[in-house]
């Protein structure tokens, strides 16, 4: 857990720095002439960057895909607010920790430990810590999305994945995870949609138009989900998708 919390900081800083160069987190430089910002202003900038930390961590970790899939699952079940948002977010957070623990440990050993020992500077620590993160992002970002942002940023064509910057990998990863999450959600919807169609056909054929079919199909969908041990299947498939 300790290494994961430090990973959150180390992971967010390269993400923010990718869009906000030439500012440095600790030794903030105002421009090319080397003029520095006053300490109160540095604190204000640092606090502002810290507000982006939750969004950065949620977008560059499996948290994004997991929350989308769990939301689709709840919608397919038709249980409205059960499980609650707090439960789904908590489950997503702990599943994310499980997946990112190896990456967090590697970032901690490569970036944080040498910086604490005074062997490297802060900027070097961020560069070293971003390497495991970059490897993780490359693994799940689609080539099509990477190509899109290479063209949008007018960057030179990379010779290898190691040449890709975070300003390209992060948005490409987000788009890829959004598509993957929606694909998994659509597949989850299919069996429950079949139940809704069958129940609606039966209720209309017997003339039960005054009773909404959703009220009748909801218990059947929940029963089916419980009988097949749905939570274990969904969570297990989600976790395995990150270990391919």
């Amino acid at each position: 857990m300790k290494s994961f919390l430090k990973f959150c900081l180390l992971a967010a800083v390269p993400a923010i720095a990718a869009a906000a160069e030439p500012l440095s987190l600790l030794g903030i430089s105002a421009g090319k002439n080397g003029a520095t910002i006053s300490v109160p202003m540095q604190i204000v900038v640092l606090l502002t960057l810290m507000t982006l930390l939750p969004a950065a961590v949620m977008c560059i970790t499996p948290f994004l895909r997991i929350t989308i899939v769990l939301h689709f699952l709840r919608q397919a079940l038709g249980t409205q607010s059960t499980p609650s948002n707090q439960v789904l977010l908590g489950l997503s957070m702990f599943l994310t920790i499980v997946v990112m623990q190896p990456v967090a440990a590697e970032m901690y050993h490569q970036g944080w430990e040498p910086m604490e020992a005074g062997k490297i500077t802060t900027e070097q620590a961020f560069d070293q810590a971003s390497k495991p993160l970059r490897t993780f992002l490359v693994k799940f970002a689609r080539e099509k999305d990477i190509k899109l942002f290479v063209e949008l940023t007018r960057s030179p064509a990379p010779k290898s994945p190691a040449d890709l910057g975070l300003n390209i990998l992060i948005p490409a990863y987000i788009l890829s995870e959004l598509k993957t999450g929606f694909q998994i959600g659509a597949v989850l919807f299919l069996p429950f949609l079949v139940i809704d169609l069958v129940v609606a056909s039966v209720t209309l054929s017997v003339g039960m138009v005054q009773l909404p079919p959703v009220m009748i199909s909801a218990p059947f969908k929940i029963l089916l989900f419980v009988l097949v041990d749905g939570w274990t299947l969904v969570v297990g498939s989600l976790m395995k998708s990150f270990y391919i």
Side-chain angles (χ1 to χ4, degrees):
M1 182 67 72
K2 177 183 176 182
S3 60
F4 181 79
L5 294 176
K6 293 184 177 179
F7 153 76
C8 293
L9 178 60
L10 288 171
V13 171
I16 297 170
E21 294 180 353
L23 289 182
S24 166
L25 181 64
L26 298 179
I28 302 178
S29 175
K32 297 180 179 179
N33 58 4
T36 58
I37 302 176
S38 62
V39 174
M41 193 60 187
Q42 290 187 26
I43 296 175
V44 172
V45 174
L46 179 59
L47 292 177
T48 302
L49 295 179
M50 289 297 291
T51 60
L52 303 177
L53 177 62
V57 173
M58 285 189 293
C59 290
I60 60 177
T61 63
F63 188 90
L64 178 60
R65 182 192 303 187
I66 296 172
T67 51
I68 292 175
V69 172
L70 293 181
H71 174 75
F72 271 107
L73 176 60
R74 186 175 64 180
Q75 293 292 107
L77 285 172
T79 54
Q80 298 181 353
S81 60
T82 304
S84 65
N85 289 331
Q86 290 84 352
V87 173
L88 294 183
L89 291 176
L91 177 61
S92 301
M93 182 185 68
F94 284 107
L95 293 179
T96 300
I97 292 175
V98 172
V99 176
M100 296 303 295
Q101 189 65 31
V103 180
E106 192 173 354
M107 292 178 68
Y108 174 71
H109 294 312
Q110 292 189 17
W112 192 277
E113 282 186 344
M115 184 180 67
E116 280 189 327
K119 297 179 180 179
I120 58 177
T121 63
T122 304
E123 293 182 358
Q124 291 174 334
F126 292 151
D127 292 337
Q128 293 294 328
S130 65
K131 291 180 180 179
L133 178 63
R134 187 181 290 110
T135 302
F136 174 82
L137 297 178
V138 168
K139 186 177 181 180
F140 295 101
R142 297 185 306 158
E143 183 178 349
K144 182 178 180 181
D145 295 324
I146 294 176
K147 182 180 178 181
L148 170 65
F149 285 99
V150 169
E151 295 174 352
L152 290 177
T153 58
R154 298 180 181 179
S155 302
K159 297 180 180 179
S160 65
D163 298 330
L164 293 170
L166 289 174
N167 61 327
I168 296 174
L169 284 176
I170 290 176
Y173 172 81
I174 294 174
L175 282 185
S176 301
E177 287 297 281
L178 286 173
K179 180 177 180 179
T180 303
F182 273 76
Q183 287 176 334
I184 299 174
V187 173
L188 286 175
F189 250 105
L190 292 179
F192 300 109
L193 180 61
V194 172
I195 295 177
D196 285 332
L197 292 174
V198 171
V199 171
S201 300
V202 172
T203 54
L204 289 176
S205 64
V206 298
M208 297 176 59
V209 294
Q210 72 280 3
L211 187 62
V214 177
M215 294 185 62
I216 303 175
S217 63
F220 290 101
K221 291 190 291 186
I222 296 174
L223 181 62
L224 172 65
F225 189 71
V226 172
L227 288 177
V228 299
D229 200 6
W231 286 111
T232 300
L233 290 176
V234 172
V235 172
S237 299
L238 268 175
M239 297 298 285
K240 291 177 182 177
S241 68
F242 291 104
Y243 291 98
I244 57 175

